[in-house]
Coordinates of all heavy atoms in Angstrom, one line a residue:
H997 N 136.2 54.1 -91.2 CA 137.4 55.0 -91.2 C 138.5 54.4 -90.6 O 139.5 55.2 -90.3 CB 137.0 56.4 -90.7 CG 136.0 57.1 -91.6 ND1 136.3 57.8 -92.8 CD2 134.6 57.2 -91.5 CE1 135.2 58.3 -93.4 NE2 134.2 57.9 -92.7
Q998 N 138.6 53.2 -90.3 CA 139.7 52.6 -89.5 C 141.0 52.6 -90.2 O 142.0 52.7 -89.5 CB 139.4 51.1 -89.2 CG 138.6 50.9 -87.9 CD 138.4 49.5 -87.5 OE1 138.1 48.7 -88.3 NE2 138.7 49.3 -86.3
D999 N 141.0 52.7 -91.6 CA 142.2 52.9 -92.3 C 142.6 54.3 -92.6 O 143.7 54.5 -93.3 CB 142.1 52.1 -93.6 CG 142.0 50.6 -93.4 OD1 142.4 50.1 -92.4 OD2 141.3 49.8 -94.2
D1000 N 142.0 55.3 -92.1 CA 142.3 56.7 -92.2 C 143.7 56.9 -91.6 O 144.0 56.2 -90.5 CB 141.2 57.6 -91.7 CG 140.0 57.6 -92.5 OD1 139.9 56.9 -93.5 OD2 139.0 58.3 -92.2
Q1001 N 144.3 57.9 -91.9 CA 145.6 58.3 -91.4 C 145.5 58.8 -90.0 O 144.4 59.4 -89.6 CB 146.2 59.5 -92.2 CG 147.5 59.9 -91.7 CD 148.0 61.1 -92.6 OE1 147.3 62.0 -93.0 NE2 149.4 61.2 -92.7
R1002 N 146.4 58.4 -89.1 CA 146.4 58.7 -87.7 C 147.7 59.1 -87.3 O 148.7 58.7 -87.8 CB 145.9 57.6 -86.9 CG 144.4 57.4 -87.0 CD 143.9 56.0 -86.3 NE 142.5 56.0 -86.1 CZ 141.6 55.7 -87.1 NH1 142.1 55.4 -88.3 NH2 140.4 55.7 -86.9
F1003 N 147.7 60.0 -86.2 CA 149.0 60.4 -85.6 C 148.9 60.2 -84.1 O 147.8 60.1 -83.5 CB 149.2 61.9 -85.8 CG 149.4 62.2 -87.3 CD1 148.3 62.6 -88.1 CD2 150.6 62.2 -88.0 CE1 148.5 63.0 -89.5 CE2 150.8 62.5 -89.3 CZ 149.7 62.8 -90.1
T1004 N 150.0 60.3 -83.5 CA 150.2 60.3 -82.0 C 150.6 61.7 -81.5 O 151.5 62.3 -82.1 CB 151.2 59.3 -81.5 OG1 150.7 58.0 -81.8 CG2 151.2 59.4 -80.0
A1005 N 149.8 62.3 -80.6 CA 150.2 63.6 -80.0 C 150.3 63.4 -78.4 O 149.8 62.5 -77.9 CB 149.1 64.6 -80.3
H1006 N 151.1 64.2 -77.8 CA 151.2 64.2 -76.3 C 150.5 65.3 -75.8 O 150.6 66.4 -76.1 CB 152.7 64.3 -76.0 CG 153.5 63.2 -76.6 ND1 153.5 61.9 -76.3 CD2 154.4 63.3 -77.6 CE1 154.4 61.2 -77.0 NE2 154.9 61.9 -77.8
V1007 N 149.5 65.0 -74.9 CA 148.6 65.9 -74.2 C 148.6 65.5 -72.7 O 148.2 64.3 -72.4 CB 147.3 66.0 -74.8 CG1 146.3 66.9 -74.1 CG2 147.3 66.4 -76.3
A1008 N 148.7 66.4 -71.9 CA 148.7 66.1 -70.5 C 149.4 64.8 -70.0 O 148.8 64.0 -69.3 CB 147.1 66.0 -70.0
N1009 N 150.6 64.7 -70.6 CA 151.5 63.6 -70.2 C 150.9 62.2 -70.7 O 151.3 61.2 -70.1 CB 151.8 63.5 -68.7 CG 152.5 64.7 -68.2 OD1 153.5 65.1 -68.9 ND2 152.1 65.3 -67.1
R1010 N 150.1 62.2 -71.7 CA 149.6 61.0 -72.2 C 149.6 61.2 -73.7 O 149.6 62.2 -74.3 CB 148.1 60.7 -71.8 CG 148.0 60.3 -70.4 CD 146.6 60.1 -69.9 NE 145.8 59.3 -70.7 CZ 144.5 59.3 -70.4 NH1 143.8 59.9 -69.5 NH2 143.7 58.5 -71.3
D1011 N 149.6 59.9 -74.3 CA 149.6 59.9 -75.8 C 148.1 59.8 -76.2 O 147.3 59.2 -75.6 CB 150.2 58.6 -76.3 CG 151.7 58.6 -76.3 OD1 152.3 59.8 -76.2 OD2 152.4 57.6 -76.4
V1012 N 147.8 60.6 -77.2 CA 146.5 60.7 -77.7 C 146.6 60.5 -79.2 O 147.5 60.9 -79.9 CB 145.9 62.2 -77.6 CG1 144.6 62.4 -78.2 CG2 145.8 62.5 -76.1
V1013 N 145.6 59.7 -79.8 CA 145.6 59.4 -81.3 C 144.8 60.6 -81.9 O 143.7 60.9 -81.4 CB 144.9 58.1 -81.5 CG1 144.7 57.8 -83.0 CG2 145.7 56.9 -80.9
V1014 N 145.3 61.1 -82.9 CA 144.7 62.2 -83.7 C 144.3 61.7 -85.1 O 145.2 61.2 -85.8 CB 145.6 63.4 -83.8 CG1 144.9 64.6 -84.5 CG2 146.1 63.8 -82.4
T1015 N 143.1 61.7 -85.5 CA 142.6 61.2 -86.7 C 142.0 62.4 -87.6 O 141.0 62.9 -87.2 CB 141.5 60.1 -86.6 OG1 142.0 59.1 -85.7 CG2 141.1 59.6 -87.9
P1016 N 142.9 62.9 -88.5 CA 142.4 64.1 -89.2 C 141.4 63.7 -90.4 O 141.9 63.7 -91.6 CB 143.6 64.7 -89.7 CG 144.6 63.5 -89.9 CD 144.2 62.6 -88.8
S1017 N 140.2 63.3 -90.1 CA 139.4 62.8 -91.1 C 138.1 63.7 -91.1 O 137.2 63.5 -90.2 CB 139.0 61.3 -90.8 OG 137.9 61.0 -91.8
A1018 N 138.0 64.6 -92.0 CA 136.9 65.4 -92.2 C 135.6 64.7 -92.5 O 134.5 64.9 -91.9 CB 137.0 66.5 -93.4
E1019 N 135.7 63.6 -93.2 CA 134.6 62.7 -93.5 C 134.1 62.0 -92.2 O 132.8 61.9 -92.0 CB 135.0 61.7 -94.6 CG 135.4 62.2 -95.9 CD 136.7 62.6 -96.0 OE1 137.6 62.4 -95.2 OE2 137.1 63.4 -97.0
L1020 N 135.0 61.5 -91.4 CA 134.5 60.8 -90.2 C 133.8 61.9 -89.3 O 132.8 61.7 -88.8 CB 135.7 60.2 -89.4 CG 135.4 59.6 -88.0 CD1 134.2 58.6 -88.1 CD2 136.6 59.0 -87.5

Side-chain angles (χ1 to χ4, degrees):
H997 294 276
Q998 277 189 309
D999 293 330
D1000 289 0
Q1001 183 180 34
R1002 286 174 166 75
F1003 297 94
T1004 299
H1006 303 288
V1007 178
N1009 296 319
R1010 285 175 51 191
D1011 285 343
V1012 174
V1013 176
V1014 181
T1015 305
S1017 174
E1019 294 84 12
L1020 176 55

